Amino acid sequence: MTEAAVLGFGTVGSGVVEVIDRNQAAIRVQFPEGIHVKYILDLRSFPDSPYADKVVHDINVIREDPEIRIVCETMGGMEPAFSFTKSFLEKGVSVCTSNKELVAAHGPELIALAKANRCSYLFEASVGGGIPLLRTIESSLVQERITAVYGILNGTTNYILTKMAREGADFDATLKEAQDKGYAERNPESDIEGHDTARKIAILTSLVSGSTFRYEDVYCEGITKITAADFKYAKTLGMSVKLLGVSRRDPETLEFHVLTAPFLVSCEHPLYSVNDVFNGVFIHGNMVDDLMLYGRGAGKYPTASAVVSDVIDCASHDGRWITRRWDPEVIEPGDRLSEVRRFFVRTDADSEEAARKAFPGLTVVTADGMEGEFAFVTDRVTEGEFEGKAAGLKLRNRIRFLN
Ligand code: HSE
């Protein structure tokens, strides 16, 4: 039996303990010795839990037990998760995590620490919840030159946007539902302002490039300005609004252009049908062409399942480092203002003349019940040109087109 410990008995941590317990037979097919959770670290006690006897409150109990070979860090946040993770890796104990905040901020450092101590730092659950995404990039696509990765990477906001599209649902009530279902972050601002998606697309860009794309360098807009009116127009365009993380490698400069923002997605695009808490990620490789991975991007069991896939990997490679190509060298972001795309724009009605002058190739868009404003779609323009021209208009909202 390989002994493991789980740090944090919240939504994901409790899921990890259950998945290891309930799917022990499946785990033993790959790893016949089996995996056993010896400790659960949490400040709280859980007297009614079937796992109550595993709960400890002192990290040193786990640190000082030489039987522990794998730790699942499902605490989230920076501290004490960062210090705990380092202390285990320094001892040659592998760490598997769902903590995207820590991975985005310190991924390469922790990977290097694991390598130096002949253990592993794995984080499959940190992006795309239950979707086997990072392992696909690191293993199945290792031969590819990946030129684009983009998609829906946040379950909470996709849940909210789906309800707004279908039912014209109220933003706050829908957010509350997502929180109740365990999808949202402790601080949901991170979901709705796009920071969670920004961290995830930064992690993906880093793994694709092999260097570090800092999440602070991801241009980031959330969904708080998206309204029922936007969805009315989207419907007449045969589109929907989705919060996307987009990472595109310029074929000439080789720079990565990375952003997180709401996009209008056509009903002909497969991402249009990615609804509720589901995530969908497109990958374009120079040989394999387009791939799309789809699954539950948040929630207890899907996320826990991804953590456990890492646990099995670590158990099968005890005493060895599992390669993650992510060097500390920082890559500079490409110039966002040079990116070319179309925009959907809503302005006050008295901006029509100025809008027609600024965007002579515009296409007018109308929607039922939308009086007193002028809405249109621009021709393809750079972000820089758009910002310059839109500055002279009384803008109500603008949303980028995907493709
Ligand atoms: N809050 C995140 C989401 C959890 O909704 O996608 C999974 O990373």
Side-chain angles (χ1 to χ4, degrees), residues 210-235:
S211 302
T212 297
F213 193 96
R214 291 163 12 110
Y215 73 85
E216 298 93 326
D217 288 336
V218 178
Y219 175 82
C220 182
E221 290 175 16
I223 63 164
T224 52
K225 292 187 183 136
I226 301 298
T227 62
D230 297 321
F231 277 103
K232 276 192 179 171
Y233 287 107
K235 212 169 178 184

Short mmCIF file of all heavy atoms in Angstrom, two decimals, residues 210-235:
data_model
loop_
_atom_site.label_atom_id
_atom_site.label_comp_id
_atom_site.label_asym_id
_atom_site.label_seq_id
_atom_site.Cartn_x
_atom_site.Cartn_y
_atom_site.Cartn_z
N GLY A 210 6.65 25.75 -22.73
CA GLY A 210 7.78 25.20 -21.97
C GLY A 210 8.47 26.25 -21.11
O GLY A 210 9.40 25.96 -20.38
N SER A 211 8.01 27.50 -21.21
CA SER A 211 8.55 28.59 -20.40
C SER A 211 7.44 29.12 -19.50
O SER A 211 6.38 28.52 -19.43
CB SER A 211 9.08 29.71 -21.31
OG SER A 211 10.07 29.19 -22.17
N THR A 212 7.69 30.26 -18.85
CA THR A 212 6.66 30.79 -17.95
C THR A 212 5.93 31.96 -18.58
O THR A 212 6.54 32.97 -18.93
CB THR A 212 7.31 31.25 -16.62
OG1 THR A 212 7.89 30.11 -16.00
CG2 THR A 212 6.29 31.88 -15.69
N PHE A 213 4.62 31.81 -18.76
CA PHE A 213 3.80 32.96 -19.14
C PHE A 213 3.11 33.41 -17.86
O PHE A 213 2.30 32.67 -17.29
CB PHE A 213 2.77 32.58 -20.21
CG PHE A 213 2.13 33.79 -20.83
CD1 PHE A 213 2.63 34.31 -22.02
CD2 PHE A 213 1.08 34.46 -20.20
CE1 PHE A 213 2.06 35.46 -22.58
CE2 PHE A 213 0.53 35.60 -20.73
CZ PHE A 213 1.03 36.10 -21.94
N ARG A 214 3.47 34.58 -17.37
CA ARG A 214 2.97 35.04 -16.07
C ARG A 214 1.48 35.38 -16.16
O ARG A 214 1.06 36.06 -17.10
CB ARG A 214 3.74 36.28 -15.63
CG ARG A 214 5.19 36.01 -15.28
CD ARG A 214 6.04 37.28 -15.25
NE ARG A 214 5.28 38.50 -15.29
CZ ARG A 214 5.16 39.36 -14.26
NH1 ARG A 214 5.79 39.13 -13.14
NH2 ARG A 214 4.47 40.47 -14.38
N TYR A 215 0.70 34.91 -15.16
CA TYR A 215 -0.73 35.18 -15.26
C TYR A 215 -1.03 36.67 -15.15
O TYR A 215 -2.04 37.15 -15.66
CB TYR A 215 -1.54 34.35 -14.25
CG TYR A 215 -1.42 34.77 -12.82
CD1 TYR A 215 -2.24 35.78 -12.30
CD2 TYR A 215 -0.51 34.16 -11.97
CE1 TYR A 215 -2.13 36.17 -10.98
CE2 TYR A 215 -0.40 34.55 -10.65
CZ TYR A 215 -1.21 35.56 -10.16
OH TYR A 215 -1.10 35.95 -8.86
N GLU A 216 -0.11 37.41 -14.54
CA GLU A 216 -0.30 38.87 -14.46
C GLU A 216 -0.23 39.50 -15.86
O GLU A 216 -0.69 40.62 -16.05
CB GLU A 216 0.77 39.53 -13.59
CG GLU A 216 0.79 39.08 -12.14
CD GLU A 216 1.75 37.93 -11.88
OE1 GLU A 216 1.91 37.06 -12.78
OE2 GLU A 216 2.31 37.87 -10.79
N ASP A 217 0.36 38.79 -16.81
CA ASP A 217 0.48 39.32 -18.17
C ASP A 217 -0.71 38.96 -19.06
O ASP A 217 -0.72 39.29 -20.25
CB ASP A 217 1.78 38.81 -18.83
CG ASP A 217 3.01 39.47 -18.23
OD1 ASP A 217 2.88 40.59 -17.69
OD2 ASP A 217 4.10 38.87 -18.30
N VAL A 218 -1.67 38.22 -18.49
CA VAL A 218 -2.86 37.89 -19.28
C VAL A 218 -3.81 39.09 -19.24
O VAL A 218 -4.21 39.52 -18.15
CB VAL A 218 -3.59 36.65 -18.70
CG1 VAL A 218 -4.85 36.34 -19.50
CG2 VAL A 218 -2.66 35.44 -18.67
N TYR A 219 -4.17 39.63 -20.41
CA TYR A 219 -5.17 40.70 -20.44
C TYR A 219 -6.50 40.09 -20.00
O TYR A 219 -6.91 39.05 -20.51
CB TYR A 219 -5.27 41.29 -21.85
CG TYR A 219 -6.37 42.31 -21.96
CD1 TYR A 219 -6.18 43.61 -21.54
CD2 TYR A 219 -7.63 41.94 -22.45
CE1 TYR A 219 -7.21 44.54 -21.60
CE2 TYR A 219 -8.66 42.85 -22.52
CZ TYR A 219 -8.44 44.15 -22.09
OH TYR A 219 -9.48 45.06 -22.15
N CYS A 220 -7.17 40.74 -19.07
CA CYS A 220 -8.29 40.06 -18.41
C CYS A 220 -9.55 40.93 -18.27
O CYS A 220 -9.50 42.02 -17.71
CB CYS A 220 -7.80 39.62 -17.02
SG CYS A 220 -9.01 38.71 -16.08
N GLU A 221 -10.65 40.44 -18.83
CA GLU A 221 -11.97 41.04 -18.59
C GLU A 221 -12.90 39.93 -18.11
O GLU A 221 -12.81 38.81 -18.61
CB GLU A 221 -12.54 41.61 -19.89
CG GLU A 221 -11.84 42.84 -20.40
CD GLU A 221 -12.39 43.28 -21.76
OE1 GLU A 221 -13.49 42.83 -22.15
OE2 GLU A 221 -11.70 44.06 -22.43
N GLY A 222 -13.80 40.26 -17.18
CA GLY A 222 -14.74 39.27 -16.67
C GLY A 222 -16.11 39.40 -17.31
O GLY A 222 -16.24 39.99 -18.40
N ILE A 223 -17.13 38.87 -16.63
CA ILE A 223 -18.47 38.85 -17.23
C ILE A 223 -19.44 39.83 -16.57
O ILE A 223 -20.63 39.82 -16.88
CB ILE A 223 -19.09 37.43 -17.18
CG1 ILE A 223 -19.30 36.95 -15.73
CG2 ILE A 223 -18.24 36.44 -17.96
CD1 ILE A 223 -20.24 35.76 -15.62
N THR A 224 -18.93 40.68 -15.67
CA THR A 224 -19.85 41.51 -14.88
C THR A 224 -20.57 42.57 -15.72
O THR A 224 -21.59 43.10 -15.29
CB THR A 224 -19.10 42.19 -13.72
OG1 THR A 224 -17.97 42.86 -14.25
CG2 THR A 224 -18.64 41.19 -12.67
N LYS A 225 -20.02 42.86 -16.91
CA LYS A 225 -20.69 43.89 -17.73
C LYS A 225 -21.64 43.28 -18.76
O LYS A 225 -22.24 43.99 -19.56
CB LYS A 225 -19.64 44.74 -18.45
CG LYS A 225 -18.84 45.60 -17.49
CD LYS A 225 -17.93 46.55 -18.22
CE LYS A 225 -17.10 47.35 -17.23
NZ LYS A 225 -15.70 47.45 -17.64
N ILE A 226 -21.75 41.95 -18.78
CA ILE A 226 -22.63 41.29 -19.75
C ILE A 226 -24.07 41.37 -19.23
O ILE A 226 -24.34 41.04 -18.07
CB ILE A 226 -22.22 39.80 -19.95
CG1 ILE A 226 -20.76 39.72 -20.44
CG2 ILE A 226 -23.16 39.10 -20.92
CD1 ILE A 226 -20.49 40.37 -21.78
N THR A 227 -24.98 41.80 -20.11
CA THR A 227 -26.37 42.02 -19.68
C THR A 227 -27.34 41.19 -20.52
O THR A 227 -26.96 40.62 -21.56
CB THR A 227 -26.76 43.50 -19.87
OG1 THR A 227 -26.66 43.79 -21.28
CG2 THR A 227 -25.84 44.43 -19.09
N ALA A 228 -28.60 41.21 -20.08
CA ALA A 228 -29.65 40.52 -20.83
C ALA A 228 -29.76 41.10 -22.24
O ALA A 228 -30.03 40.38 -23.21
CB ALA A 228 -30.98 40.66 -20.09
N ALA A 229 -29.51 42.40 -22.39
CA ALA A 229 -29.58 43.04 -23.71
C ALA A 229 -28.54 42.42 -24.66
O ALA A 229 -28.82 42.15 -25.83
CB ALA A 229 -29.33 44.54 -23.57
N ASP A 230 -27.34 42.16 -24.15
CA ASP A 230 -26.30 41.55 -25.00
C ASP A 230 -26.77 40.19 -25.52
O ASP A 230 -26.52 39.84 -26.67
CB ASP A 230 -25.00 41.39 -24.20
CG ASP A 230 -24.43 42.73 -23.76
OD1 ASP A 230 -24.50 43.69 -24.56
OD2 ASP A 230 -23.92 42.82 -22.62
N PHE A 231 -27.44 39.44 -24.63
CA PHE A 231 -27.91 38.12 -25.07
C PHE A 231 -29.02 38.22 -26.12
O PHE A 231 -29.13 37.36 -26.99
CB PHE A 231 -28.37 37.29 -23.85
CG PHE A 231 -27.22 36.62 -23.15
CD1 PHE A 231 -26.71 37.12 -21.97
CD2 PHE A 231 -26.63 35.48 -23.70
CE1 PHE A 231 -25.64 36.51 -21.34
CE2 PHE A 231 -25.56 34.86 -23.07
CZ PHE A 231 -25.06 35.37 -21.88
N LYS A 232 -29.83 39.30 -26.04
CA LYS A 232 -30.89 39.48 -27.05
C LYS A 232 -30.26 39.63 -28.43
O LYS A 232 -30.67 39.01 -29.41
CB LYS A 232 -31.71 40.73 -26.74
CG LYS A 232 -32.80 40.49 -25.74
CD LYS A 232 -33.73 41.69 -25.71
CE LYS A 232 -34.85 41.44 -24.71
NZ LYS A 232 -35.65 42.61 -24.46
N TYR A 233 -29.24 40.50 -28.50
CA TYR A 233 -28.55 40.69 -29.79
C TYR A 233 -27.82 39.41 -30.21
O TYR A 233 -27.83 39.04 -31.39
CB TYR A 233 -27.54 41.83 -29.68
CG TYR A 233 -28.15 43.20 -29.64
CD1 TYR A 233 -28.16 43.93 -28.46
CD2 TYR A 233 -28.69 43.78 -30.78
CE1 TYR A 233 -28.70 45.21 -28.40
CE2 TYR A 233 -29.24 45.06 -30.74
CZ TYR A 233 -29.24 45.76 -29.55
OH TYR A 233 -29.79 47.03 -29.51
N ALA A 234 -27.19 38.75 -29.25
CA ALA A 234 -26.45 37.52 -29.57
C ALA A 234 -27.39 36.52 -30.23
O ALA A 234 -27.03 35.86 -31.22
CB ALA A 234 -25.84 36.93 -28.30
N LYS A 235 -28.60 36.45 -29.70
CA LYS A 235 -29.58 35.49 -30.24
C LYS A 235 -29.90 35.82 -31.70
O LYS A 235 -29.94 34.92 -32.55
CB LYS A 235 -30.85 35.56 -29.39
CG LYS A 235 -31.57 34.25 -29.31
CD LYS A 235 -32.64 34.33 -28.24
CE LYS A 235 -33.39 33.01 -28.20
NZ LYS A 235 -34.48 33.03 -27.26
#
